[in-house]
Structures are given as structure tokens and as C-alpha cells.
Amino acid sequence: ETIESPDGLLKNCQGACDNDTDCEGSLVCYTRFDFEAVPGCSGTGDEAVNYCCDRPPNFFLYIGDDLGSDQYGLCEGDCDEDEDCIGSLICGQRDGYGEVEGCEGDGKRSSDYCRPPDTDEESSSPSSSPSYYQYKLDGRVCPQLKDEPNWQGPAPFSDKSNVALQLFAFADTPYDSKSGCASCNTCIAEDGITKEEDCTRFDCILANSTLSELPDDNTCTFEGKDYECVEETLIPYMNSQIAAGDAALILHAGDILGGAKPLIPGGMKTGLNTRCQSHSFGSRRELFSTGENFLLLPGDNDWNECVGYDINSNSDPIRQLWRDYFANAASPLNQFGRDFPPTLGFPGGTRPHIDRKDTNPELFYFSHNKIALIGLNQVNGPAYIDGTDINEDWVEESLGLDTSCELESIVILSHRIPEQTVYDRIDSYFAGCGGSHLPILTITGDKHPPDYCMTRANNRLHLMVEAFQSGPIKVSVVRDPEGLEGDFFHVEDTQPEKWGCPDLL
């Protein structure tokens, strides 16, 4: 349908548009040169007229010529060479309206489009053959990671004979501290005990622009819909899976409150977030301690964005409070409280000891079944640790415990992707063990995707988990029973492609 739209944006399958800003919401303006098919629309339309549409990521989209390197996403063109494509995508050459592997539609005649790299043919059934143990593209891309293609590893067998470890990962929840959340205005009353569901002492749901009106010594707990989802759905579901032997632990990659960006006026290195205080941290500790084998790392919302953060020191009262509640020896989250399932490699069901760095107990390490799991403090925004080697030294110290070079894989947990210097220390460990590069999975939060992303660059994979009320991600470390291919990482999304509290129970 071709329409004139002077007063509003064009809806799905309406034209003519000139660019994406002419289209409603997340629709894109689909460029046409003839009568090319428009994804999700029927009919032929008018010749060379552009239409707004909801384009699947694997449908041809012409975005221009000669845009330069690292500019074209999956099934976008016109590329000239592989360097024009984002990440590991390659430029698929074609004549006329020829096919490009992994892409659908017509596209511009004789234009070239970026496609997934070549992979071996998929095995038709689970086995211990090498063809089963490989990574494959799942047809999705990751918008938060420059449309990098999404990868998936081989699935665990039902009898777990190829499973070395299974765990849950989630992040960036519960927030429950933004304006407009009427159910989030919770606090502790003046008696220091009673919970008020509608706080009479403070306005706990101020917007960031007026957050300075919330006193530093407030007693807000921010227990709204996000909190309710974690308390009543996510943690009970993960606990039931652990009790059934289908996972061993829960990892949270940081951000447990709404945040407020750091303020650095006149040389002062501090934050704006008055949501960080003993009552909000106490609320989260009470919540997370109900989770079986729960481990937590700091995010910027509850670390360097907090009022009182000192960027020139490794410690201050607010960081000490975080460490006391979530990491130090007296915290219920300091060590595992439940044996790992015997099906996951510990005969009789035992649990590993968690090592924590003395000066930075938020950093942790443990090994299980020849897998090293390392927790780092890598938050978003300016932070004291960025100018130090604390993360790097912890990685080196932790991997140095593997004096016999027996590890099969490494899992890193961090709020955002660590600096390259961290991976340089891992490479040094590899060099000391003969040069073979083990698979590395880095699990992060921070970007808030509605669906998880797992990108890949050689032996390194990056898993970005979902945010807010989304279902947790189940990660399986899969090992070839015959020892031919080593460890792989398989991801199962308990609630694909949307936000909102899932129906898991």
C-alpha cells in the first residue's frame, strides 16, 4: 500500500518511506529497486517504492555501497569484501538474484551481502563423533554487539554423560527503583523492623533527575515487580532444577538496584545513587540467600555509581558495605551451601571451596571437574580498579593453582567484558601449559538484551545474559565423552525473545 502520511509514521507494509525514521517503532524502511519482495508483506507493491516492514535479521537488506569496513551486518549489502562485514561475517558474492547462504529474499540485483562464515554440516543425531562437537550459528544476530551472529554449542545428552557442569546465569535485576513503579515504594519503618509496602518516610521511586532529594540515610528497599518475580518465580525455579540435579549453582552478573551515573565535578570522584544503603542491600541479601549456591558480582549501579564511592581508593564505606553483605566470610553468599549433584562430576555429591581475594573479596575462584570459574570486578563507568592490575593478578593467581595443566575450559563472570589484559594473562597460562588455547566463556550482563547473545572469536565466547524479569539462562559445559574435542558451551534460554516474568513453575 502506497500512502501519503503527513501527520504520522508509516505502519508495517506501508510506503513510500525514505529512511527508518519514516516508519513506526522498530520498523525499517526496506529499500527496493524493482518489485523485490518485502518481508512480511504480500503483493507486489509499486515498482521501486520503499516500504516499512519488520525485517527478520536474515532477510536481504540493501543499506548502500562503499560504506567501508565493519559496516554491514547479517544479510546487509552491498559489500565488496569480508572486511566490510561486521565480526566474523563474510561477504557472499552473487550474480543477479542468486542465493546467499543464510539469507532470504531478493535483495538488490547483483549486489553482494554479508553472510555467516562456513561451518561443517550438522550431525543428524547426538553422538560422540567429532561432527557433533562443534559450534553452529543459530540464525540470530546480537543487536547489542554490533549484530554479531549468535552461536550455539552441542547439546547435553539426556543422561548427562557429556556434561561437565551446568549452571544458571542472570543479571540486572531486580531494579524496582524508577519513577512510575507504584509498587516499588517500599521501605523499613521507623522501628527499624516493620516493612512498609507504601513508604511514608521517603519517596523511594524518584527519577534519577531528582534522586538528590532522597537522603543518603534512607531505608528504602525497592521491592516491586522485579523483586517479586525473582522471589516467587526465578529463584524457586532455579532451586527446583538444582534439587533435581539439572544444575549446580546460580551466577548473578551484577546490578541489583536502579543506578545513577557517576558525578565527577571539581575533582570529586563519587556517584549520585542514594539507593545504595544497608536496607536496600539487606533486602537483596535476604532475597539472594534463598537461592541455592548463589554467587554475585558487583555492577556499576550498586558499586561505583553509589554516593560515597572513592575512585582513588580500593575501599570506602559503601564498598565495604557491599562486601559485608555479599562477599565477606560472614555473608551467606561467601561459600556454597549445598553439595553439587553427583551427576555433574563429584561422586557422592560434594562442593568446591570458593577462594576470594583478601583485599577484594568480590573476586572469586573455584574449580570443578577441570573447569576454572573466575569472578572479576569489571563494572561500567569510571572505577578505581581500572587503573590497577587487580583483576589481571587474580586471574594469574587463580590459574597458577593448576600446576599440572589439567584444566579443560575457563568460565569468567564479569558485569561487562574484561579488558584485553585479562586475556593476556590467560594466554600466559596457556603458554606455560604447552601453548594449547582452551575454550573460554565470558558471561556478562550490563546491556539489557531481551534475548541472550553468544558471540564467538576462535576459542573465546561471550555470553550476554538477559535483564529485568527475564528468565535465567542455563549454561551447560559439554565435554566429548571420548575426549576428542574438549569442552563446549551450550545455552538454553528459559524464556526466549521477550522481557517480563516468565511462567516457569
Side-chain angles (χ1 to χ4, degrees):
E1 177 185 5
T2 305
I3 67 171
E4 297 292 332
S5 182
D7 300 321
L9 299 175
L10 298 173
K11 299 182 182 298
N12 193 32
C13 301
Q14 291 182 341
C17 59
D18 295 316
N19 50 58
D20 293 350
T21 58
D22 296 333
C23 302
E24 187 177 65
S26 61
L27 300 177
V28 300
C29 183
Y30 194 80
T31 303
R32 302 165 78 235
F33 299 87
D34 199 343
F35 290 99
E36 296 94 344
V38 178
C41 303
S42 59
T44 58
D46 294 334
E47 183 178 7
V49 170
N50 306 330
Y51 291 87
C52 296
C53 70
D54 184 9
R55 172 198 170 241
N58 64 335
F59 207 96
F60 287 124
L61 180 65
Y62 177 84
I63 61 173
D65 298 320
D66 302 322
L67 300 183
S69 61
D70 202 36
Q71 295 298 314
Y72 296 91
L74 179 66
C75 300
E76 293 179 348
D78 179 18
C79 59
D80 295 315
E81 54 189 1
D82 293 349
E83 287 73 17
D84 296 342
C85 301
I86 293 173
S88 59
L89 298 174
I90 61 176
C91 186
Q93 309 289 327
R94 69 172 191 164
D95 296 319
Y97 290 107
E99 294 184 358
V100 174
E101 184 178 351
C103 302
E104 298 179 359
D106 298 324
K108 183 182 179 182
R109 181 181 178 86
S110 297
S111 289
D112 305 322
Y113 292 82
C114 293
R115 68 172 180 87
D118 296 321
T119 58
D120 296 332
E121 196 158 326
E122 186 171 352
S123 175
S124 61
S125 61
S127 71
S128 60
S129 64
S131 61
Y132 181 71
Y133 289 97
Q134 58 181 301
Y135 288 102
K136 300 178 177 66
L137 293 163
D138 71 359
R140 297 189 299 113
V141 296
C142 300
Q144 286 80 5
L145 298 172
K146 297 184 177 180
D147 286 341
E148 279 275 326
N150 204 67
W151 293 85
Q152 178 64 285
F157 296 161
S158 58
D159 64 0
K160 301 188 185 298
S161 60
N162 67 341
V163 175
L165 181 64
Q166 288 178 307
L167 57 91
F168 285 106
F170 71 130
D172 301 275
T173 193
Y175 273 27
D176 283 333
S177 49
K178 300 294 184 182
S179 57
C181 176
S183 63
C184 302
N185 191 33
T186 59
C187 71
I188 301 299
E190 288 190 37
D191 62 9
I193 300 173
T194 305
K195 288 187 175 183
E196 289 189 340
E197 293 186 4
D198 190 6
C199 189
T200 58
R201 306 180 64 193
F202 308 100
D203 183 358
C204 299
I205 52 176
L206 289 167
N208 282 349
S209 60
T210 55
L211 190 58
S212 59
E213 298 174 15
L214 184 65
D216 296 359
D217 60 351
N218 70 86
T219 65
C220 299
T221 56
F222 312 106
E223 297 179 4
K225 290 184 177 180
D226 284 3
Y227 184 97
E228 180 181 305
C229 180
V230 176
E231 179 184 41
E232 298 182 2
T233 300
L234 302 190
I235 287 181
Y237 169 75
M238 292 185 285
N239 284 349
S240 68
Q241 293 282 295
I242 291 173
D246 291 328
L249 67 144
I250 302 169
L251 299 177
H252 191 299
D255 273 4
I256 58 176
L257 297 164
K261 296 300 181 185
L263 177 68
I264 315 178
M268 294 300 292
K269 310 291 186 179
T270 187
L272 293 171
N273 198 2
T274 53
R275 301 181 180 107
C276 308
Q277 36 78 16
S278 60
H279 295 87
S280 59
F281 283 1
S283 165
R284 297 314 190 250
R285 182 178 66 180
E286 180 180 350
L287 173 66
F288 296 147
S289 62
T290 65
E292 299 284 6
N293 293 341
F294 197 106
L295 288 177
L296 172 69
L297 281 172
D300 42 279
N301 291 8
D302 44 270
W303 194 258
N304 54 319
E305 293 184 13
C306 295
V307 166
Y309 179 84
D310 183 359
I311 200 171
N312 297 308
S313 172
N314 190 39
S315 186
D316 52 48
I318 193 63
R319 272 179 286 178
Q320 188 57 43
L321 187 69
W322 193 102
R323 288 162 175 160
D324 286 343
Y325 273 87
F326 305 116
N328 282 337
S331 170
L333 305 179
N334 175 266
Q335 294 291 322
F336 293 131
R338 182 189 181 104
D339 287 351
F340 281 17
T343 53
L344 297 182
F346 274 177
T350 58
R351 71 193 79 167
H353 175 79
I354 301 172
D355 293 328
R356 292 185 178 270
K357 188 172 181 64
D358 290 341
T359 57
N360 294 75
E362 68 275 8
L363 275 63
F364 63 78
Y365 165 80
F366 68 93
S367 64
H368 165 77
N369 211 4
K370 300 183 179 181
I371 306 164
L373 292 97
I374 305 173
L376 300 180
N377 182 350
Q378 191 75 68
V379 295
N380 209 358
Y384 168 80
I385 205 167
D386 292 339
T388 74
D389 291 331
I390 292 175
N391 281 323
E392 291 82 352
D393 290 346
W394 181 244
V395 167
E396 182 176 343
E397 179 183 341
S398 300
L399 294 178
L401 298 175
D402 180 33
T403 57
S404 301
C405 297
E406 294 182 344
L407 292 177
E408 295 285 347
S409 60
I410 298 170
V411 176
I412 295 174
L413 183 69
S414 179
H415 185 59
R416 69 169 177 84
I417 200 74
E419 301 295 335
Q420 176 58 40
T421 48
V422 165
Y423 297 99
D424 292 341
R425 298 291 182 96
I426 297 176
D427 285 343
S428 297
Y429 161 79
F430 292 154
C433 287
S436 178
H437 285 64
L438 300 177
I440 305 169
L441 174 66
T442 303
I443 302 174
T444 69
D446 186 46
K447 295 295 185 181
H448 309 167
D451 202 4
Y452 82 88
C453 297
M454 188 162 74
T455 59
R456 179 187 176 209
N458 298 318
N459 67 309
R460 284 163 52 174
L461 290 98
H462 175 201
L463 171 62
M464 181 184 292
V465 299
E466 300 165 10
F468 311 123
Q469 301 175 33
S470 299
I473 302 301
K474 186 176 181 180
V475 180
S476 297
V477 182
V478 173
R479 185 170 297 163
D480 181 358
E482 295 184 3
L484 300 176
E485 299 296 329
D487 286 353
F488 293 81
F489 306 108
H490 179 273
V491 177
E492 177 186 340
D493 192 351
T494 58
Q495 184 197 28
E497 299 181 356
K498 64 178 181 177
W499 282 315
C501 197
D503 183 13
L504 297 175
L505 300 176

